[in-house]
Amino acid sequence: MSEVLLPPATIGIVGGGQLGRMLALAAKPMGYRVGILEPTPDSPAGQVADFQIMADYDDEAALMALAERSDVLTYEFENVDLSTLEAASALAALPQGTELLAISRDRLREKTFLREHQIPVTPFASVTTAAELDAALATIGYPAILKTTTGGYDGHGQQDLNQSSDVVAAQALLAQGPCILEQRQTFKRELSLMVTRDAAGVVRPFPVVENRHRNHILQLTVAPAPARDARLQEQLTQLATTIANAIQLRGVLGIECFETEAGIVVNELAPRPHNSGHYSIEACSISQFEAHIRSIVGLPIPPIQLRQQAVMRNLLGDELKQAQHEWQDHPEWHVHDYGKAAARPGRKMGHLTVTGDDVSTLMTQVAFKEE
């Protein structure tokens, strides 16, 4: 796509969850119309969009209908049918293409892509049979993690292997389909950054942030990551630029890393806005969602500045209601309700962000009364 798509052009988003919601909320003030493809009635994104087509993501007729009503297509999650998306690109622009989706949705292909571009990754091996698992363990050793190559998230679809007796439990996972065995890294902390690239090929990185998890689900993001190495931002910016150019990135990309004693290791890529980038709505000159919209419609993206330090807290299950109840005592809170119908343990129902000049103060501010 060489021409800029100006408002009131229509942006079609495949997926109606919270990422689609926040993409729509970024696009609407700019004057764009937004359509959603999502099977769930009254979806988070559908609540704020101009229209929603209620159908499954792999419904070819529905995706074609979205394309016919849109000027440009994008997506909020990885598991989109690639062939149908390719077919829809004949009716609406698809600046992100499908290659990044194909890479990032398959852990083995993703790790191979990164290694081929000299991006540091943990040692890994393809595993499809019990014999291949034994051979991979002989090379990689313990501790290791066996993961399905596709479909896993938030700790699902993986099995820790700490000793030979754990192999029995791994067989059930292997029975689900192709897997990847990865050497488990001992890391000091998990880091990530978002990166975007405009139609002219200018790469714009976001700040490096630190992520803290609970039960394999992101709980807190600290922006910027507390400094331990003055070269860290520069190193990860160079790494992000290499990846963004290699895939001719459009939209935004999340890059998740481990900081180990030996240096940075890239763990995963997310070809869309990412949970760890939500802080950017309040803390940056341009949010990850506005950057994504600017990139896919062809608008230029200025350098992205962190205006204030920030801490973002995910609100899981009943925590959203708890945050809303305590909100009156916290004028510093920016609370985001995703508009989901039912709260379940571990389900991301919203998030809150605080900004300021002292991270220790911000960490205290995001805590609930009983914590």
Side-chain angles (χ1 to χ4, degrees):
M1 184 179 65
S2 58
E3 294 184 1
V4 177
L5 288 176
L6 296 174
T10 298
I11 300 168
I13 304 174
V14 181
Q18 64 263 27
L19 298 180
R21 179 188 183 93
M22 287 181 275
L23 282 170
L25 288 171
K28 291 300 294 177
M30 299 166 70
Y32 291 98
R33 291 178 55 81
V34 178
I36 304 295
L37 173 62
E38 164 65 42
T40 306
D42 193 37
S43 69
Q47 292 167 13
V48 299
D50 293 282
F51 66 90
Q52 176 180 337
I53 297 174
M54 284 194 294
D56 290 333
Y57 309 123
D58 59 357
D59 186 324
E60 184 173 354
L63 185 54
M64 290 301 183
L66 178 67
E68 287 175 348
R69 298 178 65 178
S70 303
D71 297 289
V72 61
L73 293 174
T74 188
Y75 44 81
E76 65 141 20
F77 65 100
E78 289 90 326
N79 295 318
V80 184
D81 184 79
L82 299 185
S83 60
T84 305
L85 195 59
E86 283 278 9
S89 67
L91 300 175
L94 184 66
Q96 293 165 271
T98 57
E99 181 65 13
L100 176 56
L101 271 178
I103 291 171
S104 61
R105 70 196 296 174
D106 185 303
R107 290 188 173 102
L108 180 60
R109 186 169 177 180
E110 180 179 74
K111 286 288 194 302
T112 301
F113 164 82
L114 291 169
R115 184 172 63 185
E116 288 174 346
H117 288 85
Q118 289 75 54
I119 304 297
V121 294
T122 191
F124 67 93
S126 172
V127 175
T128 58
T129 66
E132 288 180 352
L133 178 58
D134 290 339
L137 283 168
T139 301
I140 291 175
Y142 297 98
I145 308 175
L146 186 69
K147 302 177 181 179
T148 55
T149 57
T150 60
Y153 67 98
D154 288 345
H156 299 283
Q158 63 184 54
Q159 173 68 48
D160 288 337
L161 295 170
N162 298 308
Q163 54 197 5
S164 59
S165 59
D166 294 331
V167 173
V168 175
Q171 301 295 345
L173 189 64
L174 193 56
Q176 297 179 21
C179 291
I180 179 174
L181 185 74
E182 300 178 2
Q183 184 181 86
R184 191 166 72 219
Q185 293 287 334
T186 300
F187 58 92
K188 296 184 286 186
R189 55 181 177 167
E190 181 179 304
L191 304 170
S192 66
L193 79 162
M194 304 304 300
V195 62
T196 189
R197 180 175 176 272
D198 65 21
V202 177
V203 176
R204 299 296 192 194
F206 283 77
V208 176
V209 301
E210 179 178 331
N211 299 315
R212 303 178 185 181
H213 290 73
R214 183 175 62 187
N215 299 325
H216 300 289
I217 301 174
L218 179 64
Q219 182 188 28
L220 297 173
T221 293
V222 181
R228 296 182 183 177
D229 184 340
R231 301 167 298 173
L232 187 64
Q233 178 72 46
E234 180 183 355
Q235 179 187 358
L236 287 180
T237 294
Q238 291 176 346
L239 178 152
T241 300
T242 297
I243 296 172
N245 286 328
I247 58 177
Q248 296 186 314
L249 176 67
R250 296 290 295 278
V252 295
L253 173 71
I255 303 173
E256 300 179 58
C257 311
F258 295 136
E259 183 181 17
T260 73
E261 292 294 341
I264 295 297
V265 172
V266 174
N267 184 42
E268 288 185 349
L269 303 179
R272 49 167 172 76
H274 190 261
N275 196 174
S276 67
H278 292 349
Y279 74 93
S280 63
I281 298 173
E282 285 82 25
C284 290
S285 54
I286 290 181
S287 75
Q288 64 167 339
F289 301 101
E290 182 180 345
H292 185 94
I293 297 300
R294 281 175 174 256
S295 179
I296 65 170
V297 301
L299 288 171
I301 304 170
I304 296 164
Q305 305 295 331
L306 183 69
R307 289 172 169 163
Q308 282 188 301
Q309 298 180 67
V311 173
M312 185 281 298
R313 173 177 179 160
N314 271 330
L315 300 173
L316 308 178
D318 292 335
E319 289 180 339
L320 173 62
K321 292 297 183 185
Q322 187 172 359
Q324 290 171 332
H325 178 72
E326 295 186 21
W327 199 356
Q328 61 185 336
D329 299 320
H330 289 277
E332 75 278 10
W333 281 3
H334 299 275
V335 179
H336 295 256
D337 183 340
Y338 297 157
K340 293 183 179 180
R344 298 191 297 269
R347 191 182 194 194
K348 295 169 185 171
M349 300 298 295
H351 74 268
L352 68 84
T353 302
V354 293
T355 61
D357 300 320
D358 180 70
V359 167
S360 61
T361 300
L362 299 179
M363 294 292 288
T364 301
Q365 288 175 339
V366 300
F368 293 152
K369 288 180 180 178
E370 73 280 7
E371 294 179 331

